Amino acid sequence: MGKLKLGVLISGRGSNLQALINACREPAFPAEIVLVISNRADAGGLARAEAVGIATKVIPHAQFPDREAFDMALDESLRGAEVGLVCLAGFMRLLSAGFAERWRDRLINIHPSLLPAFKGLDAHAQALAAGVRLSGCTVHYVTPAMDAGPIIVQAAVPVTPDDDEASLAARILDAEHVCYPLAVRLIAEGRVRVSEGRAVIAGGGPCGPALINPRA
Ligand code: GRF
């Protein structure tokens, strides 16, 4: 069977894109990146793709009259590249309901919190303001409602008393770089099924014991 073809959508530095590039370099990894699209010409992630010969495309959202027209252009490029799974990786545009429906169960995102807690833009600040002892990241399917689709993979990290947004973001980002390739692999292996709004993972055993913070 051929590899699952990924289209990765970015707006910025692209460290999650890099994690996917690194994973795809492994010969046994069941997916390959065929196209990287950015809505910003200055996204640092574009150079990461170009450095390894992955096709890139800039589709500036400001050049379109509305969200639907922009999303149609995205859709056309993704279909042109025969993409089978779209991975949002720091893509800072909300997608239209029509796009989410067209790519239903073939569109995933990574978010820097343990959803459904702390949806939206400032997830790290929200976690710090709430005083939670654990936060983390979530890879989930994208549905028309923001940050609310079926959860595929989560990782928890501790929040320490002296954390600020930058230190918490860095700790979560390390976990993101493990979780995103894992989610893609599970999907590419055909082990993820969406049933009644939840993602069911075939053969997914439980992880280690509980992460308890503080330790005392
Ligand atoms: C990550 O924290 C991701 O969870 C969020 O946007 C950030 C993107 O970072 N959606 P990068 O561009 O992948 O480095």
Side-chain angles (χ1 to χ4, degrees), residues 13-16 90 110-112 173 176:
R13 70 191 158 182
S15 72
N16 279 289
I110 186 152
H111 182 78
L173 198 62
E176 293 182 35

XYZ file of all heavy atoms in Angstrom, residues 13-16 90 110-112 173 176, ligand 1:
89
model
N 6.641 29.536 12.294
C 8.005 28.974 12.338
C 8.075 27.517 11.920
O 9.104 27.021 11.486
C 8.582 29.134 13.738
C 7.908 28.235 14.724
C 8.223 28.484 16.157
N 7.105 27.894 16.891
C 6.954 27.918 18.182
N 7.846 28.513 18.922
N 5.912 27.347 18.736
N 7.004 26.747 12.099
C 6.961 25.400 11.544
C 7.734 24.343 12.300
O 8.231 23.386 11.698
N 7.804 24.451 13.629
C 8.525 23.392 14.355
C 7.747 22.071 14.324
O 8.349 20.994 14.299
C 8.835 23.823 15.790
O 7.682 23.839 16.594
N 6.419 22.135 14.326
C 5.654 20.889 14.186
C 5.787 20.315 12.769
O 5.844 19.097 12.599
C 4.177 21.112 14.537
C 3.954 21.079 16.035
O 4.046 20.027 16.653
N 3.704 22.238 16.622
N 0.152 25.107 13.322
C 0.350 26.529 13.545
C -0.229 27.350 12.412
O 0.326 28.384 12.037
N -3.145 20.481 15.780
C -2.516 20.329 17.089
C -2.731 21.607 17.878
O -2.567 22.707 17.348
C -1.027 19.947 16.992
C -0.469 19.655 18.388
C -0.193 20.993 16.272
C 0.677 18.682 18.418
N -3.121 21.426 19.151
C -3.454 22.567 20.000
C -2.686 22.445 21.322
O -2.631 21.356 21.896
C -4.969 22.585 20.267
C -5.393 23.753 21.101
N -5.521 25.021 20.575
C -5.689 23.859 22.417
C -5.884 25.853 21.541
N -5.992 25.181 22.670
N -2.123 23.562 21.820
C -1.267 23.472 23.013
C -2.021 23.522 24.343
O -1.709 24.336 25.212
C -0.335 24.675 22.846
C -1.168 25.681 22.136
C -2.092 24.904 21.224
N 5.613 22.332 23.741
C 6.048 22.143 22.346
C 6.844 20.847 22.170
O 6.674 20.139 21.173
C 6.868 23.356 21.892
C 7.047 23.531 20.381
C 5.708 23.734 19.668
C 7.969 24.707 20.085
N 4.400 18.272 21.830
C 3.718 18.362 20.526
C 4.503 17.615 19.453
O 3.933 16.924 18.595
C 3.561 19.827 20.101
C 2.627 20.630 20.984
C 2.461 22.065 20.485
O 2.466 22.292 19.263
O 2.328 22.960 21.332
C 1.998 25.196 18.325
O 2.085 25.504 19.683
C 0.663 24.572 18.007
O 0.143 23.828 19.064
C -0.200 25.785 17.759
O 0.630 26.693 17.100
C 1.981 26.451 17.438
C 2.719 26.250 16.161
O 4.109 26.157 16.352
N -1.371 25.414 17.006
P 5.047 25.717 15.143
O 4.815 26.712 14.010
O 4.676 24.331 14.753
O 6.439 25.812 15.683
